[in-house]
Amino acid sequence: MDKAQKKALAEAWKNRRPEMGVISLRCKETGETFLGPAGDTQAGFNSIRAKLNGGLHPNKRLQELWKQYGEEGFDLTVAAVLEYEDPLEDHTEELETLRDLCLAEAPKAVKIWK
């Protein structure tokens, strides 16, 4: 790969617009739902899967359910998508507000991260 290709790939990565929003993990057996903000929903799911599969997730209840039922025992969905303009801007506060709105709409849901 030459320098021009590397530069083009780096520029494309910098300007990408990942889907930002609130991710949801719902245990099919118990109905328990866990919500969390994600600056990139797909990367968020990948990160959570890796932590849960490694037994390293800090949410003990979620980890316990994952160990008991496995990934196939959960529905992984995007609960809400954040509309945004600038992908380089920090959207943490907006994502947390969106998560809190989702929590208010689903009173039995809890945060993925305590």
Side-chain angles (χ1 to χ4, degrees), residues 25 34 48-70 74 112:
L25 286 82
F34 302 86
I48 288 171
R49 275 190 201 102
K51 288 177 181 146
L52 289 167
N53 288 332
L56 301 171
H57 199 280
N59 186 316
K60 300 301 181 202
R61 179 62 181 157
L62 176 56
Q63 184 67 65
E64 177 183 300
L65 291 170
W66 191 270
K67 184 177 179 183
Q68 184 174 359
Y69 300 110
F74 282 82
I112 289 176

Side-chain angles (χ1 to χ4, degrees), residues 16-22 36-44 84 87 91 95:
R16 72 186 183 92
R17 293 184 53 85
E19 179 182 66
M20 292 186 190
V22 177
D40 180 334
T41 57
Q42 293 310 307
Y84 65 97
H91 297 283
L95 288 166

Side-chain angles (χ1 to χ4, degrees), residues 95-113:
L95 288 166
E96 288 175 354
T97 300
L98 188 59
R99 184 225 26 231
D100 291 343
L101 290 171
C102 290
L103 285 168
E105 292 175 4
K108 292 184 180 180
V110 297
K111 296 177 183 177
I112 289 176
W113 298 279

